[in-house]
Amino acid sequence: MADFRFTTSSGPSGEPGATIALVARRDQPPCDGVSGAFDAHVLGVHLGAPARVRQRREGHVHEGVFGRGDLTVIPARWQSTCWTRDRSGFLHVHVPDALVARVAEGIAPPGGREVACLFRFDDPVGRELALSMLHEAETGGDAAAGYVEASAVVLAARMLRASGLSLRPPPRSGLPLAVLRRAKEQLHEGMERNVGVVELADAAGMNVHHFSRMFKRSTGLSPHRYLGQIRVDRAKALLADPDRRIVDVAMEVGFANASHFAAFFRKATGMTPGAYRRASTGTGTGADARGVTNASSAPRTR
């Protein structure tokens, strides 16, 4: 059991900060009709063994088996009732309405400005963000608050953009779900050591080319591009800590040097790591001053 609460920075017009909450339950007993509504938008990540879940949300009933890593979204103030048959575990990230509203101002088209109810779906980047927020909260000390707030901004944008998804399970085409989930876990867990497609295909017992095609059919991205995407999103969250050197961020997300990381980050985002840090945190000192100048001025390696 773990509960963490963080207060966000004041809004651009001086409005007070809101509360981001992380609630983790790793061995929850079965429940029989537990009801309630959350003040914030909630992204849930299923932890542990598969479990059958039945929920009634605003009068609509949904039922299915949640496996480890499956996601769910419950919009703020939606009345929800839950039944489970098995012990289970989950992480709930409570993203305040005020923060989502600020992020929504930059989301286009306007129809994407509301958080949708999603019973069970898959978003690798959203899952990585949520789990890394919990990890930083449990181990990050004073730096955790900045990391959690920056990650919540990215998570809010992903929740808004997921509003076009229907209330259906993840698509079943492509790789079998167990194989796909294991491949994703290998990429997330091996981010810092550059996991290759040969290793992924060997673990799945498949031909490399066939595995790559099936992975892209399942995720919309090749294994290489998927790895690049989760590295960039992880780096964005790490850059929220102004005392974390750019070279350290580069190493943590799997780059051999800061110049290679800076070139990759700029190609993916249009900004250098230092410029992104200044834009997202309003700072230009600390580790930024010690590491970004050298990283940004170093010659590109690719």
Side-chain angles (χ1 to χ4, degrees):
M1 178 183 295
D3 291 7
F4 301 93
R5 294 182 180 275
F6 302 90
T7 301
T8 65
S9 306
S10 300
S13 302
E15 59 267 28
T19 299
I20 301 167
L22 306 177
V23 178
R25 302 287 184 268
R26 291 184 170 86
D27 188 22
Q28 189 79 352
C31 63
D32 184 15
V34 176
S35 298
F38 300 109
D39 293 331
H41 302 287
V42 173
L43 177 100
V45 183
H46 186 80
L47 308 175
R52 178 166 292 280
V53 178
R54 182 172 183 267
Q55 289 187 345
R56 184 173 61 241
R57 300 181 181 180
E58 292 290 308
H60 297 279
V61 176
H62 314 282
E63 185 169 1
V65 176
F66 276 70
R68 184 157 65 106
D70 283 345
L71 304 180
T72 190
V73 171
I74 304 176
R77 296 171 293 281
W78 273 49
Q79 187 68 30
S80 177
T81 305
C82 183
W83 297 264
T84 60
R85 302 176 182 177
D86 312 294
R87 301 189 73 87
S88 60
F90 63 82
L91 165 64
H92 280 178
V93 181
H94 295 244
V95 183
D97 205 18
L99 188 150
V100 172
R102 291 206 302 269
V103 173
E105 292 177 2
I107 297 291
R113 295 185 178 182
E114 292 185 359
V115 174
C117 174
L118 300 171
F119 178 64
R120 183 166 66 90
F121 71 106
D122 191 33
D123 176 6
V125 176
R127 177 168 53 249
E128 167 70 14
L129 280 169
L131 294 175
S132 66
M133 289 166 75
L134 177 61
H135 176 75
E136 289 294 321
E138 291 177 329
T139 65
D142 294 338
Y147 182 96
V148 167
E149 181 173 358
S151 298
V153 171
V154 180
L155 198 59
R158 298 196 72 83
M159 292 168 71
L160 287 162
R161 292 192 175 106
S163 61
L165 296 174
S166 60
L167 287 172
R168 292 179 297 183
R172 301 293 182 179
S173 61
L175 293 171
L177 284 182
V179 175
L180 177 62
R181 185 165 295 125
R182 179 54 191 150
K184 290 176 179 178
E185 288 174 352
Q186 285 181 270
L187 288 166
H188 284 273
E189 294 167 0
M191 185 189 305
E192 75 288 347
R193 64 178 181 84
N194 200 26
V195 176
V197 67
V198 173
E199 180 180 342
L200 297 172
D202 284 347
M206 298 171 66
N207 171 275
V208 170
H209 298 295
H210 181 61
F211 173 84
S212 296
R213 286 195 302 271
M214 293 299 100
F215 186 94
K216 186 171 184 178
R217 185 178 296 177
S218 298
T219 66
L221 297 171
S222 68
H224 177 73
R225 289 181 64 84
Y226 179 94
L227 178 60
Q229 180 175 320
I230 63 176
R231 280 175 164 170
V232 168
D233 281 280
R234 173 69 170 163
K236 287 179 178 179
L238 292 172
L239 287 168
D241 178 4
D243 293 323
R244 215 178 206 127
R245 299 187 307 160
I246 299 297
V247 65
D248 294 332
V249 174
M251 297 295 181
E252 287 190 52
V253 297
F255 289 88
N257 56 68
S259 60
H260 186 189
F261 166 64
F264 186 91
F265 189 91
R266 184 170 186 171
K267 183 177 180 180
T269 67
M271 304 173 72
T272 65
Y276 178 84
R277 169 175 280 166
R278 290 190 292 274
S280 61
T281 66
T283 62
T285 57
D288 191 26
R290 297 194 302 272
V292 175
T293 301
N294 291 337
S296 299
S297 60
R300 294 190 180 190
T301 58
R302 90 181 229 184

